[in-house]
Amino acid sequence: MVRMSAEERRESVIRAAISEFARGGYHGTSTEAIARRVGVSQPYLFRLFPGKQAIFLAAATRCLSETRRTLEEAGESGDPHMSMAGAYKELIKDRDMLLMQMQVYVAVASMEDEFGAEIRKVWEDWWDSMHLLLGADVHETTFFMSYGMLINTLVSLGFPPDHRVWSDFAP
C-alpha cells in the first residue's frame, strides 16, 4: 500500500470537508465525520489543520476558487456570458459545490468577522475576475453575479428545469 504524503492527505481532507460541510453546514458537521470519511484519526486531522474553522476555511476557499477558475477558463473563449453560464451549469451539477457555496454564505453570516474577512477577499477576487471578463462594466458584472445567485437559490430549492420560475432564463 502506498503511503500518502501530508499534502496528499491534506487534499483528501479538503475534498471530504467540502462534501461533509455541503450537507451539514459548519455547525452541523463534526471533525469526526470528516476524519472518518478520509480514514484518519481526529488527532491526525488536527496535525494537518489547526481546527475545524481552518478546515472549513480551506474547503470554502477551494469551492469559491474552483468556481472562479472554471468561469475564468470558460470566459476566455467566445461570448463570456454564454460560455461562463454553460460552465457554471455544468459545475453546479456537482451538488456538493453548489451546497458548499450556500453553506459558506450561512457560515460567514454566523461567525466572527476575521473568518468573514478571509472569505469576502476570495469572493471579491472572484467578482473582480468576472468584472474584467465582462468588459469591466459594473452593471454587467452585477447582473451576471446576481443571476448566478438566483440560479443557486432555485437549484438549491429543487425547482425542476421545466418549472415556470425558469421561464425567462436563456436556454
Side-chain angles (χ1 to χ4, degrees):
M1 186 164 128
V2 177
R3 275 180 58 104
M4 282 190 197
S5 69
E7 194 52 43
E8 290 169 325
R9 188 68 75 182
R10 198 175 152 76
E11 179 61 30
S12 66
V13 169
I14 292 170
R15 284 192 314 270
I18 288 172
S19 293
E20 293 294 328
F21 286 128
R23 287 167 175 66
Y26 180 80
H27 297 292
T29 299
S30 69
T31 54
E32 180 182 341
I34 296 167
R36 188 173 36 251
R37 182 181 275 261
V38 177
V40 299
S41 66
Q42 271 189 299
Y44 185 78
L45 189 71
F46 292 124
R47 277 189 252 152
L48 298 171
F49 294 91
K52 181 178 178 179
Q53 190 171 346
I55 297 168
F56 187 85
L57 182 60
T61 300
R62 172 64 59 79
C63 176
L64 296 177
S65 297
E66 181 67 20
T67 301
R68 173 187 169 184
R69 185 192 60 74
T70 299
L71 295 177
E72 283 174 343
E73 288 175 2
E76 291 170 356
S77 62
D79 173 21
H81 285 94
M82 294 309 290
S83 57
M84 289 191 301
Y88 192 67
K89 182 179 172 184
E90 287 302 309
L91 182 75
I92 63 173
K93 283 182 180 177
D94 177 353
R95 295 277 298 168
D96 286 350
M97 290 297 280
L98 170 65
L99 294 176
M100 184 64 193
Q101 267 190 59
M102 302 304 276
Q103 294 291 359
V104 168
Y105 306 136
V106 169
V108 168
S110 67
M111 295 172 75
E112 63 267 6
D113 195 50
E114 181 181 314
F115 176 80
E118 292 184 52
I119 294 298
R120 280 189 296 278
K121 176 64 178 131
V122 173
W123 203 93
E124 181 181 23
D125 291 345
W126 177 11
W127 193 94
D128 290 342
S129 174
M130 298 302 98
H131 184 63
L132 292 175
L133 285 167
L134 295 167
D137 181 309
V138 173
H139 175 75
E140 286 297 316
T141 306
T142 301
F143 178 78
F144 183 81
M145 296 297 279
S146 62
Y147 211 76
M149 293 305 287
L150 177 58
I151 290 169
N152 286 357
T153 302
L154 297 177
V155 171
S156 294
L157 291 172
F159 282 104
D162 60 346
H163 193 280
R164 65 183 168 79
V165 299
W166 295 104
S167 62
D168 195 38
F169 282 75

